[in-house]
Amino acid sequence: MTIDAHILRALRAADAPAVSGAELSRQLGISRAAIWARIEELRSLGYEIEASPHQGYRLRTMPDVLHADDLLSLVAPRQVVGRDIRVFEKTGSTNDVVDKLARDGVPEGVVVFAETQTRGRGRLGRSWCSPARRGLWFSVLLRPNLRPESATQLTVAAATAVARALRGFARVDPQIKWPNDILIQGRKAAGILTDLSAELDHIKHVVLGIGINVNLGATDLPPELRRVATSLRLATGRSHRRADLAAGVLRELDADYARIRQQRFPDIAAEWAAQCSTLGQTVRIDIGGRRVHGRAESLDDTGALLLRTTHGHLERIMGGDVILES
Ligand code: BT5
């Protein structure tokens, strides 16, 4: 963990109203002057830190910016997801940035956030609207020991983790629409894009891209999305501190990734099924140029959707767009 992350963590600790410079300098093994310089740097980023000669430093308010050290200190302790966090002001697509890191051999668990994306991507070449500082637009690098056909497990795990984090953080009741949409009050509040790099029998790496509409107002969305999309702010009537939600999502994702490594995907699938608005519904699914109709019955152990078609067959669906028919 970096020095700034340590300082922010110590300042945040609930049992310490203020932390002395001497204490920080002892914990970190650097001079009090060096601590002071870091505090000044954090202040310039918008952290309001009070300094009193007798008590020491006290964190009064935090800005709603994404700061890698702040996120690192909020996420700790974690096993894999979030052990390295990078924040960019602007990128094309965070999935592309992480894919490049993957090809350069960076270990799994790195997370890249962008305050805005100029070419945010959805599936099948669709675009993802990513207005500056209003949402969480980020990607996670994973190198799971899974066969390529089980990659959907990661999308399912991510959807479950995002839904759990949203529920705990903002007391909303998210629903999951297979495979990658998180809905609040029936409108899309988050989406997941899983980019896979694989050989025939094993996954080389997966880039899990997650977009969450946090503080978007109605006019931050293009007109054609205003009736189908929402944000946490629109749904709850108040703004939310993005860094806290980001840390919550990363912690939940870390927990679900651990469950996948321990071959406990069925536990995730059960949790997913309990909040999925697709199961039990009569749906139409568009898969490339093909269209199938039927009833969404369950998930299998790879994360695929099992559809009872109108002809009575059970069809295994790996990806596609689901449209509710009833
Ligand atoms: C998705 O695709 O839902 C996946 C979205 C993943 C976005 C993240 S952001 C960080 C990372 N980097 C990236 O470049 N992408 C990932 P799909 O199911 O294909 O849905 C795309 C459709 O959702 C679009 O065609 C629009 O109709 C709609 N849409 C676009 N922006 C939206 C937004 N901000 N909120 C809700 N809906 C949106």
Side-chain angles (χ1 to χ4, degrees), residues 92-96 112 117 119-131 136-139 180-181 188-194 208-213 216 221-222 224-225 228-230 321:
S93 155
T94 54
N95 268 40
D96 296 341
V112 169
Q117 299 182 110
R119 276 197 311 281
R121 294 197 276 113
R123 294 173 303 151
L124 308 167
R126 292 188 282 236
S127 67
W128 183 259
C129 163
S130 328
L136 291 172
W137 327 122
F138 64 100
S139 303
N180 69 325
D181 289 355
K188 183 158 172 170
I192 296 159
L193 173 68
T194 311
L208 212 50
I210 300 180
I212 306 177
N213 297 338
L216 283 77
L221 290 162
E224 68 277 13
L225 290 183
V228 291
T230 189
D321 284 312

Side-chain angles (χ1 to χ4, degrees), residues 23-324:
E23 177 60 21
L24 284 173
S25 126
R26 193 188 56 75
Q27 284 178 12
L28 290 164
I30 59 173
S31 71
R32 287 169 69 170
I35 299 279
W36 173 250
R38 295 318 309 160
I39 296 273
E40 282 292 281
E41 178 69 25
L42 287 168
R43 280 179 170 160
S44 74
L45 293 170
Y47 292 85
E48 250 188 84
I49 301 172
E50 229 174 47
S52 107
H54 300 301
Q55 291 168 319
Y57 298 111
R58 195 162 77 92
L59 185 58
R60 285 181 57 85
T61 58
M62 291 168 283
D64 187 31
V65 291
L66 299 177
H67 180 270
D69 289 321
D70 189 22
L71 291 167
L72 274 172
S73 87
L74 285 168
V75 173
R78 36 83 206 98
Q79 292 180 41
V80 175
V81 176
R83 53 186 170 197
D84 178 359
I85 297 180
R86 308 182 189 188
V87 178
F88 292 89
E89 199 52 37
K90 191 192 259 190
T91 60
S93 155
T94 54
N95 268 40
D96 296 341
V97 175
V98 170
D99 189 65
K100 167 113 187 23
L101 293 176
R103 288 172 203 284
D104 290 345
V106 169
E108 68 171 349
V110 63
V111 185
V112 169
F113 287 86
E115 287 289 13
T116 184
Q117 299 182 110
T118 52
R119 276 197 311 281
R121 294 197 276 113
R123 294 173 303 151
L124 308 167
R126 292 188 282 236
S127 67
W128 183 259
C129 163
S130 328
R133 298 186 191 283
R134 300 286 188 172
L136 291 172
W137 327 122
F138 64 100
S139 303
V140 182
L141 172 61
L142 299 174
R143 299 184 185 276
N145 187 12
L146 290 176
R147 295 178 63 83
E149 59 271 24
S150 295
T152 314
Q153 285 189 5
L154 299 167
T155 312
V156 169
T160 317
V162 170
R164 212 164 49 230
L166 286 171
R167 182 169 296 115
F169 178 76
R171 314 224 175 288
V172 287
D173 185 24
Q175 299 263 288
I176 302 172
K177 182 175 164 222
W178 190 86
N180 69 325
D181 289 355
I182 310 287
L183 312 181
I184 300 178
Q185 296 158 3
R187 296 176 180 203
K188 183 158 172 170
I192 296 159
L193 173 68
T194 311
D195 282 332
L196 177 68
S197 165
E199 311 232 308
L200 260 184
D201 59 347
H202 75 276
I203 290 180
K204 285 165 59 181
H205 66 259
V206 167
V207 180
L208 212 50
I210 300 180
I212 306 177
N213 297 338
V214 185
N215 291 328
L216 283 77
T219 53
D220 290 316
L221 290 162
E224 68 277 13
L225 290 183
R226 287 180 197 164
R227 284 202 297 157
V228 291
T230 189
S231 73
L232 212 49
R233 179 177 142 207
L234 289 169
T236 62
R238 61 195 170 89
S239 296
H240 300 268
R241 210 176 94 84
R242 291 173 306 143
D244 291 330
L245 176 61
V249 173
L250 295 183
R251 276 196 302 265
E252 298 295 353
L253 201 54
D254 194 44
D256 275 356
Y257 190 47
R259 292 205 276 185
I260 287 183
R261 291 198 309 281
Q262 295 153 4
Q263 281 154 17
R264 288 171 52 214
F265 178 71
D267 295 352
I268 301 177
E271 196 183 321
W272 180 91
Q275 39 193 336
C276 174
S277 60
T278 315
L279 290 188
Q281 304 281 346
T282 304
V283 296
R284 180 183 98 210
I285 306 186
D286 293 333
I287 316 159
R290 203 162 70 89
R291 175 170 287 187
V292 284
H293 296 263
R295 187 169 176 279
E297 280 204 351
S298 57
L299 272 190
D300 76 3
D301 57 8
T302 66
L305 183 71
L306 298 179
L307 185 81
R308 180 73 61 186
T309 67
T310 32
H311 305 297
H313 306 300
L314 202 56
E315 193 164 331
R316 213 172 141 256
I317 314 280
M318 305 276 288
D321 284 312
V322 175
I323 295 108
L324 291 188

